Coordinates of all heavy atoms in Angstrom, one line a residue:
M243 N -3.0 -2.0 -6.7 CA -3.5 -2.3 -8.0 C -4.7 -1.5 -8.4 O -4.9 -1.0 -9.5 CB -3.8 -3.8 -8.1 CG -4.2 -4.3 -9.5 SD -2.9 -4.0 -10.7 CE -3.9 -3.9 -12.1
R244 N -5.6 -1.2 -7.4 CA -6.8 -0.4 -7.7 C -6.3 1.0 -8.1 O -7.0 1.6 -9.0 CB -7.7 -0.3 -6.5 CG -8.4 -1.6 -6.2 CD -9.3 -1.5 -5.0 NE -9.8 -2.8 -4.7 CZ -10.4 -3.0 -3.6 NH1 -10.6 -2.1 -2.6 NH2 -11.0 -4.2 -3.3
S245 N -5.3 1.5 -7.5 CA -4.8 2.8 -7.9 C -4.3 2.9 -9.3 O -4.4 3.9 -10.0 CB -3.7 3.3 -6.9 OG -4.2 3.4 -5.6
L246 N -3.6 1.8 -9.7 CA -3.1 1.8 -11.1 C -4.1 1.5 -12.2 O -3.9 1.9 -13.3 CB -2.0 0.6 -11.2 CG -0.7 0.9 -10.5 CD1 0.2 -0.4 -10.6 CD2 0.0 2.1 -11.1
S247 N -5.2 0.9 -11.8 CA -6.2 0.5 -12.9 C -6.9 1.8 -13.5 O -7.2 1.7 -14.7 CB -7.3 -0.4 -12.3 OG -8.0 0.2 -11.3
G248 N -7.0 2.8 -12.8 CA -7.6 4.1 -13.3 C -6.6 4.7 -14.4 O -7.0 4.9 -15.5
P249 N -5.4 5.1 -14.0 CA -4.5 5.7 -15.0 C -4.1 4.8 -16.1 O -3.9 5.3 -17.2 CB -3.2 6.0 -14.1 CG -3.7 6.0 -12.7 CD -4.9 5.1 -12.6
L250 N -4.1 3.5 -15.9 CA -3.8 2.6 -17.0 C -5.1 2.2 -17.8 O -5.0 1.5 -18.8 CB -3.2 1.3 -16.5 CG -1.8 1.4 -15.9 CD1 -1.3 0.1 -15.4 CD2 -0.8 2.0 -16.9
Q251 N -6.2 2.6 -17.4 CA -7.5 2.3 -18.1 C -7.7 0.8 -18.2 O -8.0 0.3 -19.3 CB -7.6 3.0 -19.4 CG -7.4 4.5 -19.3 CD -7.1 5.2 -20.6 OE1 -6.8 4.6 -21.6 NE2 -7.1 6.5 -20.6
L252 N -7.5 0.1 -17.1 CA -7.7 -1.3 -17.1 C -9.2 -1.7 -16.8 O -9.9 -0.9 -16.2 CB -6.8 -2.0 -16.0 CG -5.3 -1.8 -16.2 CD1 -4.6 -2.4 -15.0 CD2 -4.8 -2.4 -17.5
P253 N -9.6 -2.9 -17.3 CA -11.0 -3.3 -17.0 C -11.2 -3.5 -15.5 O -10.2 -3.8 -14.8 CB -11.1 -4.6 -17.8 CG -9.7 -5.0 -18.1 CD -8.9 -3.8 -18.1
I254 N -12.4 -3.4 -15.1 CA -12.7 -3.7 -13.7 C -12.4 -5.1 -13.3 O -12.7 -6.0 -14.1 CB -14.2 -3.4 -13.4 CG1 -14.5 -1.9 -13.6 CG2 -14.6 -3.8 -12.0 CD1 -15.9 -1.5 -13.5
G255 N -11.7 -5.3 -12.2 CA -11.3 -6.6 -11.8 C -10.1 -7.2 -12.4 O -9.8 -8.4 -12.4
A256 N -9.3 -6.3 -13.0 CA -8.0 -6.7 -13.6 C -7.1 -7.4 -12.6 O -7.0 -7.0 -11.5 CB -7.3 -5.6 -14.3
S257 N -6.5 -8.5 -13.0 CA -5.6 -9.3 -12.1 C -4.3 -8.5 -11.9 O -3.6 -8.2 -12.8 CB -5.4 -10.6 -12.7 OG -4.4 -11.3 -12.0
A258 N -3.9 -8.4 -10.6 CA -2.7 -7.8 -10.3 C -1.5 -8.6 -10.8 O -0.5 -8.0 -11.1 CB -2.6 -7.6 -8.7
D259 N -1.6 -9.9 -10.8 CA -0.5 -10.8 -11.3 C -0.2 -10.4 -12.8 O 1.0 -10.6 -13.2 CB -0.9 -12.2 -11.2 CG -1.1 -12.7 -9.8 OD1 -0.6 -12.0 -8.9 OD2 -1.7 -13.7 -9.6
T260 N -1.1 -10.0 -13.6 CA -0.9 -9.7 -15.0 C -0.2 -8.3 -15.2 O 0.6 -8.2 -16.0 CB -2.2 -9.7 -15.7 OG1 -2.9 -11.0 -15.5 CG2 -2.0 -9.5 -17.2
W261 N -0.5 -7.4 -14.3 CA -0.1 -6.0 -14.6 C 1.0 -5.5 -13.6 O 1.6 -4.5 -13.9 CB -1.3 -5.1 -14.5 CG -2.4 -5.5 -15.4 CD1 -3.5 -6.1 -15.2 CD2 -2.3 -5.2 -16.8 NE1 -4.2 -6.3 -16.4 CE2 -3.5 -5.8 -17.4 CE3 -1.5 -4.6 -17.7 CZ2 -3.8 -5.7 -18.7 CZ3 -1.7 -4.5 -19.0 CH2 -2.9 -5.1 -19.5
L262 N 1.2 -6.1 -12.5 CA 2.1 -5.6 -11.5 C 3.0 -6.7 -11.0 O 2.5 -7.7 -10.5 CB 1.3 -4.9 -10.4 CG 2.1 -4.2 -9.3 CD1 2.9 -3.1 -9.8 CD2 1.1 -3.7 -8.2
V263 N 4.3 -6.5 -11.0 CA 5.3 -7.4 -10.4 C 6.2 -6.7 -9.4 O 6.9 -5.7 -9.7 CB 6.2 -8.0 -11.5 CG1 7.2 -9.0 -10.9 CG2 5.4 -8.7 -12.6
V264 N 6.0 -7.0 -8.1 CA 6.8 -6.4 -7.0 C 7.6 -7.5 -6.3 O 7.1 -8.5 -5.9 CB 5.8 -5.7 -6.0 CG1 6.6 -5.1 -4.9 CG2 4.9 -4.7 -6.7
P265 N 8.9 -7.3 -6.3 CA 9.8 -8.2 -5.6 C 9.5 -8.3 -4.1 O 8.9 -7.3 -3.5 CB 11.2 -7.8 -5.9 CG 11.1 -6.3 -6.2 CD 9.7 -6.1 -6.8
R266 N 9.9 -9.3 -3.4 CA 9.8 -9.5 -2.0 C 10.4 -8.3 -1.2 O 9.8 -7.8 -0.2 CB 10.4 -10.7 -1.4 CG 9.6 -12.0 -1.8 CD 10.1 -13.1 -1.0 NE 9.5 -14.4 -1.4 CZ 8.4 -14.8 -0.8 NH1 7.8 -14.2 0.1 NH2 7.8 -15.9 -1.3
N267 N 11.5 -7.9 -1.6 CA 12.2 -6.8 -0.9 C 12.5 -5.7 -2.0 O 13.6 -5.6 -2.6 CB 13.5 -7.2 -0.3 CG 14.2 -6.1 0.5 OD1 13.7 -5.0 0.6 ND2 15.3 -6.4 1.1
P268 N 11.5 -4.8 -2.2 CA 11.7 -3.8 -3.3 C 12.8 -2.7 -3.0 O 13.2 -2.1 -3.9 CB 10.3 -3.1 -3.4 CG 9.6 -3.4 -2.1 CD 10.2 -4.7 -1.6
A269 N 13.2 -2.6 -1.7 CA 14.2 -1.6 -1.4 C 15.6 -2.1 -1.6 O 16.6 -1.3 -1.7 CB 14.1 -1.3 0.1
K270 N 15.8 -3.4 -1.9 CA 17.1 -4.0 -2.1 C 17.7 -3.5 -3.4 O 17.0 -3.4 -4.5 CB 17.0 -5.5 -2.1 CG 18.3 -6.2 -2.3 CD 18.1 -7.7 -2.3 CE 19.4 -8.4 -2.6 NZ 19.3 -9.8 -2.7
Q271 N 19.0 -3.1 -3.4 CA 19.6 -2.6 -4.7 C 19.5 -3.7 -5.7 O 19.8 -4.9 -5.4 CB 21.1 -2.2 -4.4 CG 21.2 -0.9 -3.7 CD 20.6 0.3 -4.5 OE1 19.5 0.7 -4.2 NE2 21.3 0.8 -5.5
G272 N 19.1 -3.3 -6.9 CA 19.0 -4.3 -8.0 C 17.6 -4.9 -8.1 O 17.3 -5.5 -9.1
A273 N 16.7 -4.6 -7.2 CA 15.4 -5.1 -7.3 C 14.6 -4.3 -8.3 O 14.8 -3.1 -8.4 CB 14.7 -5.0 -5.9
I274 N 13.8 -5.0 -9.1 CA 13.0 -4.3 -10.1 C 11.5 -4.5 -9.9 O 11.0 -5.6 -9.8 CB 13.4 -4.9 -11.5 CG1 14.9 -4.6 -11.8 CG2 12.5 -4.3 -12.6 CD1 15.4 -5.2 -13.1
T275 N 10.8 -3.4 -9.8 CA 9.4 -3.4 -9.7 C 8.9 -3.1 -11.2 O 9.3 -2.2 -11.8 CB 8.8 -2.4 -8.7 OG1 9.3 -2.7 -7.4 CG2 7.3 -2.4 -8.7
R276 N 7.9 -3.9 -11.7 CA 7.5 -3.8 -13.1 C 6.0 -3.6 -13.2 O 5.3 -4.3 -12.6 CB 8.0 -5.0 -13.8 CG 7.6 -4.9 -15.3 CD 8.2 -6.2 -16.0 NE 7.7 -6.2 -17.4 CZ 8.5 -6.7 -18.3 NH1 9.7 -7.1 -18.1 NH2 8.0 -6.7 -19.6
V277 N 5.6 -2.6 -14.0 CA 4.2 -2.4 -14.3 C 4.1 -2.6 -15.8 O 4.7 -2.0 -16.6 CB 3.8 -0.9 -14.0 CG1 2.4 -0.6 -14.4 CG2 4.0 -0.6 -12.5
N278 N 3.3 -3.7 -16.1 CA 3.0 -4.0 -17.5 C 1.9 -3.0 -18.0 O 1.0 -2.7 -17.3 CB 2.5 -5.4 -17.6 CG 3.7 -6.4 -17.3 OD1 4.8 -6.2 -17.7 ND2 3.3 -7.4 -16.5
L279 N 2.1 -2.6 -19.2 CA 1.2 -1.5 -19.7 C 0.3 -2.1 -20.8 O 0.8 -2.9 -21.7 CB 2.0 -0.4 -20.3 CG 3.0 0.2 -19.4 CD1 4.0 1.2 -20.1 CD2 2.3 0.9 -18.2
P280 N -1.0 -1.7 -20.9 CA -1.9 -2.2 -21.9 C -1.5 -1.6 -23.3 O -0.9 -0.5 -23.3 CB -3.2 -1.8 -21.5 CG -3.0 -0.6 -20.5 CD -1.7 -0.9 -19.9
D281 N -1.9 -2.2 -24.4 CA -1.6 -1.8 -25.7 C -2.2 -0.4 -26.0 O -1.6 0.4 -26.8 CB -2.0 -2.8 -26.8 CG -1.1 -4.0 -26.7 OD1 0.0 -3.9 -26.2 OD2 -1.6 -5.1 -27.1
H282 N -3.4 -0.1 -25.5 CA -4.1 1.1 -25.8 C -3.6 2.3 -25.0 O -3.9 3.4 -25.3 CB -5.6 0.9 -25.5 CG -5.9 0.7 -24.1 ND1 -5.9 -0.5 -23.5 CD2 -6.2 1.6 -23.1 CE1 -6.2 -0.4 -22.2 NE2 -6.4 0.9 -21.9
W283 N -2.7 2.1 -24.0 CA -2.2 3.2 -23.2 C -1.2 4.1 -23.9 O -0.2 3.6 -24.5 CB -1.5 2.6 -21.9 CG -1.3 3.5 -20.8 CD1 -2.3 4.1 -20.0 CD2 -0.1 4.0 -20.3 NE1 -1.7 4.9 -19.1 CE2 -0.4 4.9 -19.2 CE3 1.2 3.8 -20.6 CZ2 0.6 5.5 -18.5 CZ3 2.2 4.4 -19.9 CH2 1.9 5.2 -18.8
A284 N -1.5 5.4 -24.0 CA -0.7 6.3 -24.8 C 0.7 6.5 -24.2 O 1.7 6.6 -25.0 CB -1.4 7.6 -24.9
G285 N 0.9 6.6 -22.9 CA 2.2 6.8 -22.3 C 2.7 8.2 -22.4 O 3.9 8.4 -22.5
E286 N 1.8 9.1 -22.4 CA 2.3 10.5 -22.4 C 3.1 10.8 -21.1 O 3.0 10.1 -20.1 CB 1.0 11.5 -22.4 CG 0.2 11.4 -23.6 CD 0.8 11.9 -24.9 OE1 1.7 12.8 -24.8 OE2 0.5 11.4 -26.0
E287 N 3.9 11.9 -21.1 CA 4.8 12.2 -20.0 C 4.0 12.3 -18.7 O 4.4 11.8 -17.7 CB 5.5 13.4 -20.3 CG 6.6 13.7 -19.3 CD 7.5 14.9 -19.7 OE1 7.6 15.2 -20.9 OE2 8.1 15.5 -18.7
Y288 N 2.9 13.0 -18.7 CA 2.1 13.1 -17.5 C 1.5 11.8 -17.0 O 1.4 11.6 -15.8 CB 1.0 14.2 -17.7 CG -0.2 13.7 -18.5 CD1 -1.3 13.1 -17.9 CD2 -0.2 13.8 -19.9 CE1 -2.4 12.7 -18.7 CE2 -1.3 13.4 -20.6 CZ -2.4 12.8 -20.0 OH -3.4 12.4 -20.8
Q289 N 1.2 10.9 -17.9 CA 0.7 9.6 -17.5 C 1.9 8.8 -16.9 O 1.7 8.1 -15.9 CB 0.2 8.8 -18.7 CG -1.1 9.4 -19.3 CD -1.5 8.7 -20.6 OE1 -0.7 8.5 -21.4 NE2 -2.8 8.4 -20.6
Q290 N 3.0 8.9 -17.4 CA 4.2 8.2 -16.9 C 4.5 8.7 -15.5 O 4.8 7.9 -14.5 CB 5.4 8.3 -17.8 CG 5.3 7.7 -19.1 CD 6.5 8.0 -20.0 OE1 7.6 8.3 -19.5 NE2 6.3 7.9 -21.3
L291 N 4.4 10.0 -15.3 CA 4.7 10.6 -14.0 C 3.6 10.1 -13.0 O 4.0 9.8 -11.8 CB 4.6 12.1 -14.1 CG 4.9 12.9 -12.8 CD1 6.3 12.5 -12.3 CD2 4.8 14.4 -13.1
A292 N 2.4 10.0 -13.4 CA 1.3 9.5 -12.5 C 1.6 8.1 -12.0 O 1.5 7.8 -10.8 CB 0.0 9.6 -13.2
I293 N 2.0 7.2 -13.0 CA 2.3 5.8 -12.6 C 3.5 5.8 -11.6 O 3.5 5.1 -10.6 CB 2.6 5.0 -13.9 CG1 1.4 5.0 -14.8 CG2 3.1 3.6 -13.5 CD1 0.2 4.4 -14.2
A294 N 4.6 6.6 -11.9 CA 5.7 6.7 -11.1 C 5.4 7.1 -9.7 O 5.9 6.6 -8.7 CB 6.8 7.6 -11.7
R295 N 4.5 8.1 -9.6 CA 4.1 8.6 -8.2 C 3.3 7.5 -7.5 O 3.5 7.4 -6.3 CB 3.3 9.9 -8.4 CG 4.1 11.1 -8.7 CD 3.4 12.3 -8.7 NE 4.2 13.5 -9.0 CZ 3.8 14.7 -9.3 NH1 2.5 14.9 -9.4 NH2 4.6 15.6 -9.5
L296 N 2.5 6.8 -8.2 CA 1.7 5.8 -7.5 C 2.6 4.6 -7.0 O 2.4 4.2 -5.9 CB 0.6 5.2 -8.4 CG -0.6 6.1 -8.7 CD1 -1.5 5.5 -9.8 CD2 -1.4 6.2 -7.4
V297 N 3.5 4.2 -7.8 CA 4.4 3.2 -7.4 C 5.3 3.6 -6.2 O 5.4 2.9 -5.2 CB 5.4 2.8 -8.6 CG1 6.5 1.9 -8.1 CG2 4.6 2.0 -9.7
D298 N 5.8 4.8 -6.3 CA 6.5 5.4 -5.2 C 5.7 5.5 -3.9 O 6.2 5.1 -2.8 CB 7.0 6.8 -5.6 CG 8.1 7.3 -4.6 OD1 9.0 6.6 -4.3 OD2 8.0 8.5 -4.3
R299 N 4.5 5.9 -4.0 CA 3.6 6.0 -2.9 C 3.2 4.7 -2.2 O 3.3 4.5 -1.0 CB 2.3 6.7 -3.3 CG 1.3 6.9 -2.2 CD 0.1 7.6 -2.7 NE -0.9 7.6 -1.6 CZ -2.2 7.9 -1.8 NH1 -2.6 8.2 -3.1 NH2 -3.0 7.9 -0.9
W300 N 2.8 3.7 -3.0 CA 2.3 2.5 -2.5 C 3.4 1.4 -2.1 O 3.2 0.6 -1.2 CB 1.3 1.8 -3.4 CG 0.0 2.6 -3.4 CD1 -0.4 3.4 -4.4 CD2 -0.9 2.7 -2.4 NE1 -1.6 4.0 -4.1 CE2 -1.9 3.6 -2.8 CE3 -1.0 2.2 -1.1 CZ2 -3.0 4.0 -2.0 CZ3 -2.1 2.5 -0.3 CH2 -3.1 3.4 -0.8
I301 N 4.5 1.5 -2.8 CA 5.6 0.6 -2.4 C 6.3 1.1 -1.2 O 7.0 0.3 -0.5 CB 6.6 0.4 -3.6 CG1 5.9 -0.1 -4.9 CG2 7.8 -0.5 -3.3 CD1 5.4 -1.5 -4.8
K302 N 6.2 2.4 -0.9 CA 6.8 3.0 0.2 C 8.4 2.9 0.2 O 9.0 2.8 1.3 CB 6.3 2.5 1.5 CG 4.8 2.7 1.7 CD 4.3 2.4 3.0 CE 2.8 2.4 3.2 NZ 2.0 3.3 2.8
V303 N 8.9 3.0 -0.9 CA 10.4 3.0 -1.1 C 10.6 4.0 -2.2 O 9.9 4.0 -3.2 CB 10.9 1.6 -1.6 CG1 12.3 1.7 -2.0 CG2 10.6 0.5 -0.6
P304 N 11.6 4.9 -2.0 CA 11.9 5.9 -3.1 C 12.3 5.2 -4.3 O 13.2 4.4 -4.3 CB 13.0 6.8 -2.5 CG 13.0 6.5 -1.0 CD 12.4 5.2 -0.8
M305 N 11.5 5.4 -5.4 CA 11.8 4.7 -6.7 C 12.0 5.6 -7.8 O 11.5 6.8 -7.8 CB 10.6 3.8 -7.0 CG 10.2 2.8 -6.0 SD 11.4 1.5 -6.0 CE 10.4 0.1 -6.5
E306 N 12.7 5.2 -8.8 CA 12.9 5.9 -10.0 C 12.6 5.0 -11.2 O 12.9 3.8 -11.2 CB 14.3 6.6 -10.1 CG 15.4 5.6 -10.1 CD 16.7 6.2 -10.1 OE1 16.9 7.4 -9.7 OE2 17.7 5.6 -10.5
A307 N 12.0 5.6 -12.3 CA 11.7 4.8 -13.5 C 13.1 4.6 -14.2 O 13.7 5.5 -14.6 CB 10.8 5.5 -14.4
S308 N 13.5 3.3 -14.2 CA 14.8 3.0 -14.8 C 14.7 2.6 -16.2 O 15.6 2.7 -17.0 CB 15.4 1.8 -14.0 OG 14.6 0.7 -14.0
R309 N 13.5 2.1 -16.6 CA 13.3 1.7 -18.0 C 11.8 1.9 -18.4 O 10.9 1.4 -17.7 CB 13.7 0.3 -18.1 CG 13.9 -0.2 -19.5 CD 14.6 -1.5 -19.5 NE 14.4 -2.2 -20.8 CZ 14.4 -3.4 -21.0 NH1 14.6 -4.3 -20.0 NH2 14.2 -3.9 -22.2
I310 N 11.6 2.5 -19.5 CA 10.2 2.7 -20.0 C 10.2 2.1 -21.5 O 10.9 2.7 -22.3 CB 9.7 4.1 -20.0 CG1 9.8 4.6 -18.5 CG2 8.3 4.3 -20.5 CD1 9.6 6.1 -18.4
H311 N 9.4 1.1 -21.7 CA 9.3 0.5 -23.1 C 7.9 0.7 -23.6 O 7.0 0.0 -23.1 CB 9.8 -1.0 -23.0 CG 9.8 -1.6 -24.3 ND1 10.8 -1.4 -25.2 CD2 9.0 -2.5 -24.9 CE1 10.6 -2.1 -26.3 NE2 9.5 -2.8 -26.1
L312 N 7.7 1.5 -24.6 CA 6.4 1.8 -25.1 C 6.3 1.5 -26.6 O 5.2 1.5 -27.2 CB 6.0 3.3 -24.9 CG 6.0 3.8 -23.5 CD1 5.8 5.3 -23.5 CD2 4.9 3.1 -22.8
T313 N 7.4 1.1 -27.3 CA 7.3 1.0 -28.7 C 6.7 -0.3 -29.3 O 6.1 -0.3 -30.3 CB 8.7 1.2 -29.3 OG1 9.6 0.2 -28.7 CG2 9.3 2.6 -29.1
S314 N 6.9 -1.4 -28.6 CA 6.4 -2.7 -29.1 C 6.1 -3.6 -27.9 O 6.4 -3.2 -26.7 CB 7.3 -3.4 -30.0 OG 8.5 -3.7 -29.3
A315 N 5.4 -4.6 -28.1 CA 5.0 -5.6 -27.0 C 6.2 -6.3 -26.6 O 7.1 -6.7 -27.4 CB 3.9 -6.5 -27.5
P316 N 6.4 -6.7 -25.4 CA 5.6 -6.2 -24.2 C 5.9 -4.8 -23.8 O 7.1 -4.4 -23.9 CB 5.9 -7.2 -23.1 CG 7.3 -7.6 -23.4 CD 7.5 -7.6 -24.9
R317 N 4.9 -4.0 -23.5 CA 5.0 -2.6 -23.1 C 5.1 -2.6 -21.5 O 4.3 -3.3 -20.9 CB 3.9 -1.8 -23.6 CG 3.8 -1.8 -25.1 CD 2.5 -1.3 -25.6 NE 1.9 -0.2 -24.9 CZ 1.9 1.1 -25.3 NH1 2.5 1.4 -26.4 NH2 1.3 2.0 -24.6
F318 N 6.0 -1.9 -21.0 CA 6.2 -1.9 -19.5 C 7.0 -0.7 -19.0 O 7.6 0.0 -19.8 CB 6.9 -3.2 -19.0 CG 8.3 -3.3 -19.6 CD1 9.4 -2.8 -19.0 CD2 8.5 -4.1 -20.8 CE1 10.6 -2.9 -19.6 CE2 9.7 -4.2 -21.4 CZ 10.8 -3.6 -20.8
M319 N 6.9 -0.5 -17.7 CA 7.7 0.5 -17.0 C 8.4 -0.3 -15.9 O 7.7 -1.0 -15.2 CB 6.9 1.6 -16.4 CG 6.3 2.6 -17.4 SD 5.3 3.9 -16.7 CE 6.5 4.9 -15.9
E320 N 9.7 -0.1 -15.7 CA 10.4 -0.7 -14.6 C 11.0 0.3 -13.7 O 11.4 1.4 -14.1 CB 11.6 -1.6 -15.2 CG 11.1 -2.8 -15.9 CD 12.2 -3.7 -16.4 OE1 13.3 -3.2 -16.5 OE2 11.9 -4.9 -16.7
F321 N 10.9 0.0 -12.4 CA 11.3 0.9 -11.3 C 12.4 0.2 -10.5 O 12.2 -0.9 -10.2 CB 10.1 1.3 -10.5 CG 9.1 2.1 -11.2 CD1 8.1 1.4 -11.9 CD2 9.1 3.4 -11.4 CE1 7.1 2.0 -12.6 CE2 8.1 4.1 -12.1 CZ 7.1 3.4 -12.7
T322 N 13.4 1.0 -10.1 CA 14.4 0.5 -9.2 C 14.5 1.5 -8.0 O 14.2 2.6 -8.1 CB 15.8 0.4 -9.9 OG1 16.1 1.7 -10.4 CG2 15.8 -0.7 -10.9
P323 N 15.0 1.0 -6.9 CA 15.1 1.9 -5.7 C 16.1 3.0 -6.0 O 17.1 2.7 -6.6 CB 15.5 1.0 -4.6 CG 15.8 -0.4 -5.1 CD 15.4 -0.4 -6.5
T324 N 15.8 4.2 -5.5 CA 16.7 5.3 -5.7 C 17.9 5.1 -4.8 O 17.7 4.8 -3.6 CB 16.0 6.6 -5.4 OG1 14.8 6.7 -6.2 CG2 16.9 7.8 -5.5
P325 N 19.1 5.1 -5.3 CA 20.2 5.0 -4.4 C 20.3 6.1 -3.3 O 20.1 7.2 -3.6 CB 21.5 5.1 -5.3 CG 20.9 5.0 -6.7 CD 19.5 5.4 -6.7
Q326 N 20.5 5.7 -2.1 CA 20.5 6.6 -1.0 C 22.0 7.1 -0.8 O 22.9 6.3 -1.0 CB 20.0 6.0 0.3 CG 18.6 5.5 0.2 CD 17.7 6.7 -0.1 OE1 17.7 7.7 0.6 NE2 16.8 6.6 -1.1
P327 N 22.2 8.4 -0.4 CA 23.5 8.9 -0.2 C 24.1 8.1 1.1 O 23.4 7.7 1.9 CB 23.3 10.3 0.1 CG 21.9 10.5 0.5 CD 21.1 9.3 -0.2
P328 N 25.4 8.0 1.1 CA 26.1 7.4 2.3 C 25.8 8.2 3.5 O 25.7 9.4 3.5 CB 27.5 7.3 1.9 CG 27.7 8.4 0.9 CD 26.4 8.5 0.1
D329 N 25.9 7.5 4.7 CA 25.7 8.2 6.0 C 26.9 9.1 6.3 O 26.8 10.1 7.0 CB 25.5 7.1 7.1 CG 24.2 6.4 7.0 OD1 23.2 7.0 6.4 OD2 24.1 5.2 7.4
A330 N 28.1 8.7 5.8 CA 29.3 9.4 6.1 C 30.2 9.3 5.0 O 30.2 8.3 4.2 CB 29.9 8.9 7.4
A331 N 31.1 10.2 4.9 CA 32.2 10.2 3.8 C 33.5 10.4 4.5 O 33.6 11.1 5.5 CB 31.9 11.3 2.8
T332 N 34.5 9.8 4.0 CA 35.9 10.0 4.5 C 36.4 11.3 4.1 O 36.2 11.7 2.9 CB 36.8 8.8 4.1 OG1 36.9 8.8 2.7 CG2 36.3 7.5 4.7
W333 N 37.1 11.9 4.9 CA 37.7 13.2 4.6 C 39.2 13.1 4.6 O 39.8 12.5 5.4 CB 37.3 14.2 5.7 CG 37.9 15.6 5.5 CD1 37.4 16.5 4.6 CD2 39.0 16.2 6.1 NE1 38.2 17.7 4.7 CE2 39.2 17.4 5.6 CE3 39.9 15.7 7.1 CZ2 40.2 18.3 6.0 CZ3 41.0 16.5 7.5 CH2 41.1 17.8 6.9
R334 N 39.8 13.7 3.5 CA 41.2 13.7 3.4 C 41.6 15.1 3.1 O 41.0 15.8 2.2 CB 41.7 12.8 2.2 CG 41.5 11.3 2.5 CD 42.0 10.5 1.4 NE 41.1 10.7 0.2 CZ 41.3 10.1 -0.9 NH1 42.3 9.3 -1.1 NH2 40.4 10.3 -1.9
P335 N 42.7 15.6 3.7 CA 43.1 17.0 3.4 C 43.7 17.0 2.0 O 44.3 16.0 1.6 CB 44.2 17.2 4.5 CG 44.6 15.9 5.0 CD 43.5 15.0 4.8
S336 N 43.6 18.1 1.4 CA 44.2 18.3 0.1 C 45.6 18.8 0.1 O 46.0 19.4 1.0 CB 43.3 19.2 -0.8 OG 43.1 20.4 -0.2

């Protein structure tokens, strides 16, 4: 949460419960990690990338931004685990 408070320009001592929702198992397919965004946050592309990198770094699961909602309240970014390629594939002759 401390890492997010800078890029989101949150007040000192902002509650993690208000701004960040992380499921028990963020690596599980279908799990959604959500970062709530303040109204004053512009949401430029470089800012979105910074938030995505922080989430990826601290959750320690490869994540991708699946939904970004900046137009009206509530404003948020949602992240889902990046699907991993299969360990093996079946081969069939053509």
Side-chain angles (χ1 to χ4, degrees):
M243 184 59 205
R244 288 182 186 166
S245 296
L246 287 174
S247 62
L250 292 179
Q251 303 165 352
L252 298 176
I254 294 173
S257 170
D259 295 341
T260 304
W261 301 102
L262 183 62
V263 179
V264 180
R266 286 190 185 271
N267 185 1
K270 183 179 176 185
Q271 283 302 98
I274 297 173
T275 299
R276 182 175 171 144
V277 177
N278 294 317
L279 305 170
D281 291 334
H282 66 271
W283 196 68
E286 298 289 335
E287 188 174 335
Y288 73 92
Q289 292 173 313
Q290 293 175 24
L291 183 59
I293 298 300
R295 285 184 177 169
L296 285 170
V297 167
D298 193 47
R299 177 180 174 197
W300 289 108
I301 303 291
K302 297 190 188 318
V303 173
M305 301 288 242
E306 60 185 23
S308 59
R309 195 166 162 209
I310 301 171
H311 183 74
L312 298 172
T313 55
S314 62
R317 296 162 43 98
F318 59 86
M319 290 179 73
E320 288 182 342
F321 299 88
T322 55
T324 303
Q326 298 301 308
D329 292 332
T332 56
W333 178 80
R334 291 184 291 181
S336 57

